């Protein structure tokens, strides 16, 4: 019917060009805002949903398989092997070969942070590739644009899908090849080349993970269903043949290696390891098929347990709705072959999960895209009856409802806000900075690759997967000698100790029983049912090892760089003491540092040594400010000189040490009632009470002095030292009871030889504090060098310190005479003294103290390490001495070895 109001005629010269331009513009807009724009929008949604916070959540330690595949990709990339250990055919290698190729293209395992992060980036790209594939599959199976978009949208935003698709798993790689194969197969009706390519892609899916085999009936159904309409029976052959040819690479590889058939030796698999001298593909397949996990109708099997405790809690809508859609499509399939195809593709993964046997939580990945697809195919007839614009509005409304449901259920919050993987990053950084790279470490697979990889810090060539320690004879026996004592460290994650038991990992289990917690990292979750808590712990086996040797070198280096000025060890207040110089000389000679020793001795001889051959106690601002002696420093310097002369065969140093001994006896030793006692120094005024400091007593040095200076009764000094130590430690000094600890100071009556409190002004001299703690260290040296029973007996009186460590894991810096602490602080010298005593009294408690207060407390200084406050010279000295005592690195150098 003619328009009653015709449009006004256009100018003859412009009407046709303008009409053609507008037609082209409208066509371009339709193309722009049609399916390409829709798919582009779906890709953007997928990028945001999967990519935001993906490096932090889920934690990399959640699924050990992530680390296994990263390590195997690392082996392909770095070693040209399918596995860093014996390849046991537990999975076909196509998936991690792809991961290795990705790492090679992007610059290595550490290109995106750590190795698992690199793999997660690949998982994101594969997800983005699957979004249009799933959209196209839904369209080809009868869904309109809104429903196909809703299918791909749900695949991207489902909390269940986001959680598991972020993980570095072979399942995602396998699904990509499956969806690509399906897309080509459905596209290929009538196109033989696409059918061939589809079969090859399905073969790659089988090479990525064997679970793809369970989809084979569905794929064959699609190929057979259309054989008459298009290529006849040749279509099926054209799909099956390339699939078999590609998948046969796996058994062909095993055949060429002589590892296809069992060798006659019974195969015994355990966890992810192989207990036996031979491997075989057929043995591995039999093991995979026969792994236990409960029958399909057992409501306590792994499938039903995971369904209740994990999958439904993450996304009940997708699981319940998708399963119902699968059932309905199978029913509709009697009349609708496309619905039947979708139903089969959805039912087969569900049957695989519910079959019984071993099912892990991430196996749900196999079903997710097909549940989404079935929802779209089920609703397709309904949407077909709705006008196009209304169906689009309905599709958007359904998407909003889905998002709202996820939002209000709290399922999104952990995915995008929590950072449980932060603990793993901090642990990796600390281990690379603090733990010697030569250490023999048992670790979870999630950290294996980053510890082996050298691109981000030192490599640890002796770190091994706990599974391989349990089941690979080359590792369990060849590396660890079936002996927990060979282990230096264990890196523990939640559930790992249970794995030690289930895999009969006696080496790891016994090492853990004989280890102490060195460091702990924890990423605490928020409140909620889906939140994760990541805990990583580093346990040090109870034995000295490379860590202690490294710490000694690093601590000595830090102390020299921070405090030494041309041989003088200067405190922050500008003072130099004979004590600090004696510590430096002992540290240098025990460390075999001749240059450092010479600098310290040269400065001491030039600035502190008086005409009698003994050092003044205090120097400041270019001059001696206190010329008196401190007998502990005098003894230590003399001992250091004798050791140095012996170690480096230097007569001048030997002579210097020998010359000091008569002067020490003359000025630092008092004889009371015929018994020699080491006094605190020559600084006290003559009085009826002699000042003694028990921590100055050095019974370890006196036997050496006796051999060098037989003219004086140094052996008697050993006797008097123990006499005073036992008496002073048990003395009540009035009404105050004793906790059995030595006092900082004690007085000796010059007439009677009785012990009395020393009346220093403003000081409680009977307390156990920064002086007294050194007593145990010196006595422990005497026990080690001379095996003197008095030394052992005295160290066993330190039960109070053992109780303190058992109760608190540490000792306080200062205690009153009765054991009441006067401070909440600890001190390095207090720790050194307690450690020296407990190494004899109770080594297990000593290990607790050492690991918690010394090994874990060392701070990196770049370079070197320090303890306590970085400006505390005294703390650095006693941190070194305590570590050396634990490491048994304080030999008697007077005895040539």
């Amino acid at each position: 019917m003619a328009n009653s109001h015709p449009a006004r005629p256009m100018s003859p010269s412009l009407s046709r060009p303008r009409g053609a331009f507008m037609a082209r513009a409208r066509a371009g807009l339709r193309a722009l805002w049609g399916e390409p724009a829709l798919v582009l929008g779906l890709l953007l949604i997928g990028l945001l949903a999967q990519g935001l916070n993906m490096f932090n959540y889920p934690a990399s330690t959640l699924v050990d398989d992530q680390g296994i595949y990263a390590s195997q990709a690392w082996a392909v990339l770095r070693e040209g092997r399918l596995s860093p250990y014996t390849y046991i055919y537990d999975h076909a290698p196509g998936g991690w070969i792809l991961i290795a190729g990705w790492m090679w293209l992007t610059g290595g395992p550490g290109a995106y942070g750590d190795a698992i992060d690199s793999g997660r980036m690949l998982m994101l790209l594969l997800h983005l590739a699957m979004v249009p594939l799933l959209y196209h599959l839904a369209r080809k199976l009868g869904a309109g644009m809104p429903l196909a978009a809703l299918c791909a949208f749900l695949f991207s935003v489902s909390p269940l899908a986001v959680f598991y698709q972020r993980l570095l798993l072979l399942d995602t790689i396998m699904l990509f090849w499956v969806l690509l194969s399906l897309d080509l197969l459905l596209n290929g009706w009538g196109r033989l080349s696409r059918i061939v390519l589809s079969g090859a892609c399905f073969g790659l899916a089988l090479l990525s993970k064997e679970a793809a085999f369970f989809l084979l009936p569905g794929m064959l159904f699609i190929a057979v269903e259309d054989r008459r309409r298009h290529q006849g029976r040749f279509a099926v052959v054209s799909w099956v043949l390339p699939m078999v040819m590609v998948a046969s690479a796996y058994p062909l590889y095993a055949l060429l290696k002589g590892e296809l058939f069992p060798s006659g030796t019974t195969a015994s698999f355990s966890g992810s390891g192989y207990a036996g001298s031979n491997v075989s593909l057929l043995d591995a397949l039999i093991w995979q098929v026969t792994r236990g996990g409960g029958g399909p109708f057992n409501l306590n099997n792994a499938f039903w347990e995971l369904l209740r405790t994990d999958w439904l809690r993450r996304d009940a809508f997708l699981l319940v709705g998708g399963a119902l859609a699968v059932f309905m499509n199978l029913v509709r399939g009697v009349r609708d072959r496309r619905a039947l195809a979708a139903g089969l593709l959805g039912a087969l993964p569900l049957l695989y999960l519910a079959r019984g046997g071993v099912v892990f939580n991430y196996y749900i990945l196999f079903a997710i895209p097909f549940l989404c697809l079935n929802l779209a195919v089920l609703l397709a007839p309904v949407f077909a009856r709705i006008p196009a614009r209304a169906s689009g509005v309905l599709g958007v409304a359904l998407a909003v409802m889905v998002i709202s449901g996820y939002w209000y259920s709290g399922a999104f919050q952990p995915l995008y806000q929590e950072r449980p993987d932060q603990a793993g990053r901090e642990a990796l950084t600390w281990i690379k900075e603090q733990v010697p790279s030569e250490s023999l470490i048992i670790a979870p697979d999630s950290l294996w690759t980053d510890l082996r990889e050298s691109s981000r810090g030192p490599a640890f060539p002796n770190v091994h997967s706990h599974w391989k320690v349990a089941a690979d004879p080359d590792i369990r026996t060849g590396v660890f000698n079936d002996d927990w004592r060979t282990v230096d460290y264990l890196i523990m994650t939640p559930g790992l100790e249970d794995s030690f038991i289930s895999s009969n990992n006696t080496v790891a289990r016994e090492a853990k029983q004989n280890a102490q917690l060195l460091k702990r990292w924890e990423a605490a979750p928020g409140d909620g049912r889906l939140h994760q808590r990541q805990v990583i712990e580093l346990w040090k086996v109870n034995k000295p090892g490379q860590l202690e040797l490294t710490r000694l070198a690093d601590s000595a280096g830090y102390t020299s760089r921070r405090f030494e000025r041309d041989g003088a060890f200067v405190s922050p207040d500008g003072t130099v003491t004979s004590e600090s110089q004696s510590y430096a000389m002992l540290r240098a000679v025990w460390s075999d540092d001749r240059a450092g020793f010479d600098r310290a001795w040269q400065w001491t001889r030039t600035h502190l040594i008086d005409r009698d051959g003994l050092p003044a106690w205090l120097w400041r601002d270019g001059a001696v400010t206190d010329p008196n002696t401190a007998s502990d420093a005098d003894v230590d310097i003399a001992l250091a000189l004798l050791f140095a002369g012996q170690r480096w065969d230097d007569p001048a140093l030997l002579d210097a040490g020998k010359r000091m001994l008569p002067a020490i006896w003359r000025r630092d030793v008092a004889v009371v009632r015929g018994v020699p006692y080491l006094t605190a120094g020559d600084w006290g005024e003559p009085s009826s009470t002699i000042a003694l400091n028990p921590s100055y007593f050095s019974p370890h040095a006196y036997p050496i002095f006796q051999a060098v200076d037989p003219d004086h009764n140094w052996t008697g000094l050993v006797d008097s030292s123990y006499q005073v130590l036992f008496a002073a430690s048990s003395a009540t000094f009035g009404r105050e009871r004793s906790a059995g600890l030595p006092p900082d100071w004690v007085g000796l009556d010059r007439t009677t030889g009785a012990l009395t409190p020393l009346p220093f002004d403003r000081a409680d001299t009977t307390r156990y504090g920064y002086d007294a703690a050194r007593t145990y260290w010196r006595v422990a040296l005497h026990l080690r060098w001379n095996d003197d029973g008095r030394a052992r007996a005295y160290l066993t009186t330190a039960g109070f310190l053992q109780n303190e460590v058992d109760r608190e894991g540490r000792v306080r810096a200062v205690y009153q005479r009765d054991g009441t602490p006067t401070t909440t602080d600890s001190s390095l010298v207090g720790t050194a003294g307690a450690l020296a005593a407990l190494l004899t009294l109770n080594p297990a408690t000593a290990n607790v103290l050492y690991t918690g207060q010394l090994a874990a407390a060392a701070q990196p200084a770049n370079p070197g390490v320090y303890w306590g406050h970085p400006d505390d010279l005294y703390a650095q000295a006693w941190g070194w001495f305590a570590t050396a005592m634990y490491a048994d690195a304080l030999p008697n150098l007077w005895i040539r070895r």
Side-chain angles (χ1 to χ4, degrees):
M1 182 168 131
N3 192 330
S4 57
H5 300 284
R8 187 173 180 178
M10 303 176 75
S11 165
S13 62
L14 297 177
S15 60
R16 184 172 298 173
R18 180 174 181 179
F21 173 79
M22 292 302 296
R24 287 195 300 270
R26 284 192 297 270
L29 286 174
R30 282 195 301 270
L32 179 63
W33 297 110
E35 286 194 297
L38 182 59
V39 172
L40 185 62
L42 291 170
L43 287 172
L44 180 60
I45 291 171
L47 177 65
L48 295 174
Q50 297 284 337
L52 291 177
N53 203 43
M54 74 173 183
F55 294 142
N56 297 305
Y57 191 95
S60 60
T61 57
L62 180 69
V63 177
D64 220 21
D65 295 60
Q66 294 187 98
I68 293 173
Y69 304 139
S71 68
Q72 289 171 318
W74 179 90
V76 172
L77 184 65
R78 299 296 191 220
E79 298 181 340
R81 305 165 55 198
L82 291 180
S83 172
Y85 300 103
T86 302
Y87 177 47
I88 61 173
Y89 296 95
D90 52 334
H91 284 301
W96 64 80
I97 291 175
L98 178 64
I99 297 170
W102 164 255
M103 290 180 175
W104 177 76
L105 285 173
T106 55
Y112 293 93
D114 58 34
I116 291 178
D117 286 344
S118 176
R120 287 191 180 184
M121 180 60 75
L122 176 61
M123 297 300 102
L124 174 63
L125 294 179
L126 290 176
H127 172 81
L128 294 179
M130 286 189 282
V131 167
L133 290 175
L134 195 59
Y135 175 87
H136 292 151
L137 287 173
R139 294 283 283 140
K140 291 166 187 176
L141 291 175
M145 286 175 55
L147 278 177
L150 189 62
C151 169
F153 175 79
L154 188 59
F155 179 62
S156 289
V157 303
S158 162
L160 186 68
V162 173
F163 184 84
Y164 286 110
Q165 287 184 53
R166 285 178 175 179
L167 299 176
L168 174 57
L169 296 170
L170 303 182
D171 305 66
T172 299
I173 299 173
M174 175 263 290
L175 279 173
F176 165 74
W177 292 117
V178 166
L179 294 182
L180 182 57
S181 175
L182 271 170
D183 189 61
L184 289 168
L185 185 59
L186 290 171
N187 256 340
W189 289 340
R191 300 183 184 181
L192 187 60
S193 61
R194 294 198 175 193
I195 294 175
V196 171
L197 188 56
S198 170
C201 287
F202 196 79
L204 290 173
L206 290 170
L207 286 181
S208 299
K209 191 165 184 179
E210 301 85 343
F213 179 81
F214 283 83
L215 282 175
L216 188 58
M219 303 294 293
L220 288 173
F221 170 78
I222 294 173
V224 170
E225 180 64 23
D226 288 275
R227 70 184 189 279
R228 294 186 179 87
R229 278 198 295 141
H230 302 289
Q231 299 290 342
R233 293 179 180 176
F234 191 64
V236 179
V237 175
S238 299
W239 187 87
V240 171
L241 185 60
M243 181 267 293
V244 172
M245 290 177 63
V246 172
S248 65
Y250 187 33
L252 180 61
Y253 171 83
L255 180 64
L256 293 174
K257 296 254 311 177
E259 296 171 346
L260 177 61
F261 301 104
S263 62
T265 302
T266 301
S268 173
F269 286 85
S270 174
S272 293
Y274 180 84
S277 58
N278 298 283
V279 293
S280 124
L281 173 57
L282 292 181
D283 276 337
L285 292 176
I286 293 170
W287 171 70
Q288 289 279 23
V289 171
T290 59
R291 295 168 75 184
F297 302 108
N298 181 356
L299 295 182
N300 292 318
N301 76 5
F303 169 76
W304 297 107
E305 179 66 19
L306 287 169
L307 189 65
R308 290 192 300 266
T309 62
D310 188 317
W311 301 335
L312 285 175
R313 297 170 70 190
R314 296 189 186 280
D315 193 347
F317 167 74
L318 177 59
L319 287 173
V320 176
L324 288 174
V326 168
F327 176 75
M328 295 298 295
N329 284 329
L330 289 174
V331 173
R332 291 175 54 221
V334 176
R335 297 183 179 180
D336 186 340
R337 292 303 190 222
R338 290 186 297 188
L340 181 58
L344 276 175
L345 293 173
L348 292 170
L350 294 178
L351 290 173
Y352 165 70
L353 293 174
R355 74 192 187 284
V358 172
V359 177
F360 295 113
N361 52 4
Y362 59 86
Y363 282 12
I364 192 63
L365 277 170
F366 193 21
I368 288 174
F370 303 110
L371 295 178
C372 298
L373 187 65
N374 271 272
L375 284 169
V377 172
L378 177 66
L379 295 175
V382 177
F383 271 62
R385 293 179 173 83
I386 302 174
R389 184 168 297 178
S391 67
V393 173
L394 181 57
V396 171
L398 288 175
V400 171
M401 289 175 61
V402 168
I403 287 289
S404 300
Y406 292 150
W407 180 270
Y408 287 111
S409 71
F412 278 154
Q413 190 274 335
L415 290 171
Y416 302 108
Q417 295 184 20
E418 292 192 3
R419 303 172 62 87
D421 216 40
Q422 191 62 33
R425 301 180 197 284
E426 293 172 357
L428 186 63
T429 299
W430 194 93
I431 291 169
K432 288 234 173 186
E433 289 179 351
Q434 295 290 321
V435 175
S437 60
E438 301 88 356
S439 302
L440 203 56
I441 304 173
I442 297 176
D445 291 280
S446 56
L447 295 177
W448 189 98
T449 305
D450 295 299
L451 289 172
R452 282 290 183 103
E453 173 64 24
S454 61
S455 60
R456 298 180 62 235
F460 288 74
N462 299 317
V463 63
H464 291 284
S465 163
H466 67 98
W467 293 116
K468 302 304 177 181
V469 177
D472 189 334
D474 291 340
I475 305 303
R476 185 183 66 249
T477 303
V479 175
F480 290 91
N481 298 319
D482 278 315
D483 187 353
W484 67 266
R485 295 172 185 83
T486 60
V487 182
D488 293 314
Y489 299 92
L490 301 103
I491 303 174
M492 302 297 296
T493 52
L496 196 59
E497 199 157 3
D498 293 336
S499 295
F500 293 169
I501 297 172
S502 64
S503 62
N504 195 29
N505 193 340
T506 55
V507 173
R509 190 169 68 248
E510 291 176 6
K512 175 63 166 52
Q513 292 168 353
N514 291 276
Q516 300 296 327
L517 178 62
L518 176 60
K519 194 76 174 177
R520 178 186 176 94
W521 299 269
E522 181 173 355
D527 296 327
R529 57 189 173 84
L530 297 176
H531 301 256
Q532 287 183 33
R533 178 185 181 189
Q534 189 187 35
V535 177
I536 296 179
E537 296 176 342
L538 180 65
W539 288 70
K540 183 181 183 300
V541 176
N542 295 334
K543 63 173 186 177
Q546 187 61 42
L547 174 68
E548 285 67 41
L549 299 180
T550 301
R551 287 279 168 82
L552 290 174
D554 288 346
S555 169
Y558 172 82
T559 302
S560 293
R561 283 186 293 273
R562 177 65 185 85
F563 300 101
E564 184 185 353
R565 304 292 182 269
D566 297 323
F569 284 78
V570 186
S571 295
D573 63 0
T575 62
V576 179
T577 65
S578 58
E579 182 183 65
S580 66
Q581 295 303 106
S582 71
Y583 291 164
M585 292 171 65
L586 282 173
R587 185 170 57 242
V589 71
W590 270 319
S591 302
D592 198 15
D593 177 12
R594 177 66 189 267
F597 183 91
D598 287 344
R599 291 195 305 272
W601 169 233
Q602 182 62 39
W603 191 94
T604 302
R605 183 173 59 181
T606 302
H607 296 89
L608 297 184
I609 298 296
D610 61 19
R611 289 179 298 178
D612 211 15
L614 296 185
W617 175 69
L618 188 65
W619 179 96
R620 176 182 284 167
D621 299 329
V624 170
T625 58
D626 187 338
N628 294 303
T629 65
S631 62
D632 63 330
D634 298 346
V635 170
D636 286 344
I637 289 174
L639 181 64
L641 286 166
L642 294 174
F643 275 178
Q646 187 83 324
R647 177 161 214 165
W648 297 313
D649 197 20
D650 190 325
L653 295 177
L654 278 172
D655 188 59
K658 292 176 181 179
R659 287 199 307 270
M660 287 186 68
L661 300 185
I664 293 173
W665 190 273
R666 184 170 58 255
R667 292 170 61 180
D668 293 341
V669 176
V671 179
V672 177
R673 300 171 66 91
V675 178
Y677 296 91
L678 184 76
T679 69
D682 65 355
W683 45 267
E685 292 292 333
S687 66
S688 60
T689 303
I690 301 171
L692 304 181
N693 188 316
S695 72
Y696 288 8
F697 298 166
S698 302
H700 61 290
Y702 303 151
I704 298 172
F705 292 176
Q706 186 70 69
V708 175
D709 179 29
D711 295 335
H712 297 98
N713 186 17
W714 296 100
T715 301
L717 211 54
V718 176
D719 299 337
S720 67
S721 295
Y722 283 110
Q723 173 193 335
V724 172
L725 287 176
F726 280 109
S729 299
S730 60
T732 57
F733 295 124
R735 297 181 179 179
E736 190 175 23
R737 67 183 179 87
S738 171
L741 301 171
D744 281 344
W745 296 87
V746 67
L748 179 72
D749 189 283
R750 189 181 293 275
T751 303
T752 65
L755 299 180
T756 65
L758 196 64
F760 282 168
D761 292 337
R762 301 183 305 279
D764 176 11
T765 62
T766 66
R767 71 181 187 176
Y768 175 87
Y770 290 89
D771 281 292
R774 300 176 296 186
T775 304
Y776 293 114
W777 186 85
R778 295 181 183 274
V779 172
L781 273 184
H782 186 218
L783 176 62
R784 291 192 178 189
W785 292 358
N786 300 95
D787 196 24
D788 193 301
R790 291 167 296 180
R792 186 181 307 277
Y794 185 73
L795 294 174
T796 58
T797 65
F800 174 84
L801 297 179
Q802 178 182 335
N803 293 337
E804 287 291 281
V805 177
D806 288 341
R807 186 169 57 87
E808 293 190 2
R810 65 186 181 115
V811 293
R812 308 289 182 91
V814 182
Y815 293 93
Q816 293 177 3
R817 188 81 191 132
D818 64 356
T820 302
T822 63
T823 177
T824 59
D825 296 332
S826 298
S827 69
L828 266 297
V829 67
T831 299
L835 179 67
L838 294 175
L839 283 170
T840 298
L841 176 60
N842 191 318
T845 304
N847 283 314
V848 172
L849 181 65
Y850 170 76
T851 304
Q853 300 300 307
L854 282 165
Q859 299 295 318
N862 297 320
V865 297
Y866 66 89
W867 288 276
H869 195 283
D871 291 334
D872 189 341
L873 175 59
Y874 193 64
Q876 307 323 310
W878 282 100
W880 192 95
F881 285 136
T883 303
M885 175 67 72
Y886 182 81
D888 197 17
L890 302 173
N892 182 353
L893 297 175
W894 187 251
I895 302 174
R896 291 188 181 272
R897 299 188 178 186

